[in-house]
């Protein structure tokens, strides 16, 4: 089997898995609705309350699981390729935490209630600031350490400001919601959230996808890429704003979910032959698979506890991260 | 001048004597009471004699938690901190059993008399609290009056036939209340079935939106809490599925009526009863 055929097969299998998990997500929930009944209610709209549950509660949850997962997987793959850093990922670089801060400011000041688009826009601004700061800290070098340290600092700062903003809210429930913004959840998200976030995510995906060819060239180094006719300014613009738009919008409606963007590209890289442009669609599908699985698991393991998604992704992601650090030790210092 | 002076002296003496007799009758009852819990705040305001209650907690003047926010303005405000209460030099401190554990221990070590009250979860417990505070403040008659009013109201509600309607309480973060709670007993008094209790929930529990819609209660009981600023906890109320389902079924019961068990908790039962009768 040649390289291209294998790549197509991998994509096909990933897409199938994502589709199956999407359907599973639709039929997972506290109200015991059978698969056939659920699908009938979803499409026909005959059984009033079942249709309400399928269309307004489970469908937005499944769509967001798919789209947010794809966002995190794709942006992780692009950031790892663009920064040429195996540890790059929106969560570790502080992009998710900063987007959370932006969203928190928009929601808890009451701004997003008056002007709905303020939510994704503020999250996007938070995300842009994080990417720009981390990129500036990294400079022209490709030192793994500087970027991750800058990411740690940005994450800590944004997290502290998020806590502060929530603690200062006159609403007594606000302070308890720190956990949502740090760990993320898809519980009871509605179509309103889908319409708010999906357009920004789509724009972000297109921008990230356009970096594919440049990322292939970048494997040879920044100078070689420039000499191959790659416009580095354009790549930087696409990578930064594509990440900010998609991760910002995703975080605005689900909170910060870590490690998806780290784990997925690493697992899929060997399967697609280590070509960055091929890794992008595979990582998007892989991210969707990981997040949909996590969201199904939180509903199966402890349905009454409202477990946060970040708990599950960290259970898989944190040991993986440690293993990466272990492996990268030799090259880091 | 001389005459006026003598008269003045005499008056002063008489006044002193009168005050002394009055004081003797009241020496054994506390006259500088500090309450540091929004529930004891309100019961104390209802029961205490003029000048007997000195300070109430800051929550007592918050209309979201307290029915008697207006009345509370007449008293000094405390925030349940030991130092602050120490400086007030109270002869009786009333506190809740839950939130201010460390403060209560500290105040006791400093030699203050602290009486603790568990949150009331039934009308019997409310009556018990009223009588206990009446005895503590030497106001047994006033307490008996309030208990009689409460009994009256409960008897009037009990005389009505059960409505047969099922109600589900649904508050911030999708919480519902089951058996053993004040809300459950208020629903019982109103002749309404509590969906949470029927489903075997004890105390409070999260009720996923899906389960609320599947259970099809006749009434969805929610508070009217508006904290001025939004939080995700209240997003369940603007969820399209909730709005479509609950539009016709929502009954608003201001939460301050049943955050604390007190005579005014009857109001919550009246609101529920009225709503149950107006729903088809």
């Amino acid at each position: 089997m040649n390289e291209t055929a294998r790549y197509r097969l991998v994509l096909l299998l990933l897409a199938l898995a994502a589709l199956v998990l999407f359907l599973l997500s639709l039929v997972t929930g506290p109200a015991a609705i059978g698969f056939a009944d659920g699908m009938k209610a979803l499409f026909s709209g005959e059984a009033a309350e079942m249709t309400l549950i399928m269309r307004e509660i489970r469908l937005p949850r499944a769509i967001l699981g798919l789209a947010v997962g794809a966002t995190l997987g794709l942006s992780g793959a692009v950031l790892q390729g663009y920064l040429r850093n195996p540890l790059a990922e929106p969560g570790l670089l502080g992009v998710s935490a900063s987007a959370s801060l932006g969203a928190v400011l928009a929601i808890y000041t009451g701004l997003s209630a008056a002007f709905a688009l303020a939510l994704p826009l503020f999250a996007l601004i938070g995300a842009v600031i994080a990417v720009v700061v981390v990129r500036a800290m990294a400079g022209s070098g490709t030192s793994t350490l500087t970027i991750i340290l800058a990411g740690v600092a940005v994450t800590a700062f944004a997290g502290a400001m998020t806590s502060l903003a929530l603690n200062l809210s006159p609403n007594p429930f606000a302070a308890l919601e720190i956990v949502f913004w740090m760990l993320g959840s898809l519980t009871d998200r509605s179509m309103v959230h889908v319409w708010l976030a999906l357009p920004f995510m789509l724009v972000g995906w297109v921008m990230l996808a356009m970096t594919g060819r440049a990322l292939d060239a970048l494997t040879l180094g920044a100078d070689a890429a420039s000499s191959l006719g790659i416009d580095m300014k354009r790549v930087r613009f696409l990578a930064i704003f594509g990440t900010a738009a998609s991760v910002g919008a995703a975080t605005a409606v689900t909170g910060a979910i870590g490690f998806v963007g780290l784990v997925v590209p690493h697992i899929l890289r060997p399967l697609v032959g280590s070509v960055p442009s091929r890794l992008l669609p595979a990582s998007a599908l892989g991210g969707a698979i990981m997040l949909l699985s996590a969201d199904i698991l939180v509903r199966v393991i402890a349905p009454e506890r409202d477990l946060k998604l970040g708990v599950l992704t960290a259970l898989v992601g944190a040991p993986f991260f440690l293993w990466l650090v272990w492996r990268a030790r030799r090259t880091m210092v | 001048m001389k005459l006026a002076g003598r008269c003045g002296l005499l008056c002063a003496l008489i006044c002193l004597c009168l005050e002394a007799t009055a004081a003797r009758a009241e020496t054994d009852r506390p006259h500088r009471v500090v309450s540091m819990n929004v529930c004891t705040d309100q019961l104390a305001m209802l029961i205490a004699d003029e000048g007997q209650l000195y300070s109430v907690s800051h929550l007592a003047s918050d209309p979201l938690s307290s029915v008697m926010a207006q009345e509370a303005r007449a008293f000094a405000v405390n925030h349940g901190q030991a130092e602050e209460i120490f400086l007030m030099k109270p002869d009786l401190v009333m506190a809740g059993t839950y939130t201010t554990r460390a403060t209560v221990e500290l105040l006791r070590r400093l030699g203050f008399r602290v009486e603790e009250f568990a949150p009331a979860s039934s009308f019997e417990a409310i009556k018990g609290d009223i009588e206990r505070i009446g005895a503590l403040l030497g106001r047994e008659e006033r307490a008996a009056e309030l208990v009689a009013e409460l009994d009256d109201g409960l008897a009037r509600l009990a005389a009505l036939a059960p409505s047969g309607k099922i109600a589900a309480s649904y508050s911030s973060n999708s919480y519902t209340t089951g058996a053993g709670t004040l809300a459950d007993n208020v629903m019982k008094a109103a002749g309404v079935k509590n969906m949470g209790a029927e489903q075997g929930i004890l105390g409070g529990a999260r009720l996923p939106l899906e389960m609320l819609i599947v259970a099809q209660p006749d009434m969805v009981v929610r508070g009217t809490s508006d904290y001025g600023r939004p939080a995700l906890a209240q997003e369940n109320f603007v969820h399209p599925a909730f709005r479509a389902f609950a539009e016709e079924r929502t009954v608003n019961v201001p939460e301050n009526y049943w955050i604390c068990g007190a005579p005014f908790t009857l109001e919550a039962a009246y609101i529920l009863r009225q709503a149950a009768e107006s729903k088809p």
Side-chain angles (χ1 to χ4, degrees), chain A residues 17 30 91 125 135 157 162 165-166 170 182 207 228 233 235 238 300 317 321 323 330:
Chain A
I125 294 169
R135 182 73 189 73
F157 181 77
T162 303
L166 293 174
M182 304 269 177
M207 292 173 81
L228 283 171
K233 276 196 184 135
V235 179
L238 288 174
V300 172
F321 182 49
W323 175 73
R330 275 156 287 150

Side-chain angles (χ1 to χ4, degrees), chain A residues 198-237:
Chain A
L198 201 56
F200 286 92
M201 287 198 259
L202 286 173
V203 170
W205 293 349
V206 171
M207 292 173 81
L208 291 175
M210 283 160 67
T211 61
R213 210 175 64 84
L215 295 184
D216 289 346
L218 264 174
T219 51
L220 307 170
D223 295 335
S226 297
S227 68
L228 283 171
I230 301 292
D231 180 358
M232 288 307 288
K233 276 196 184 135
R234 180 170 165 277
V235 179
R236 186 192 309 156
F237 173 83

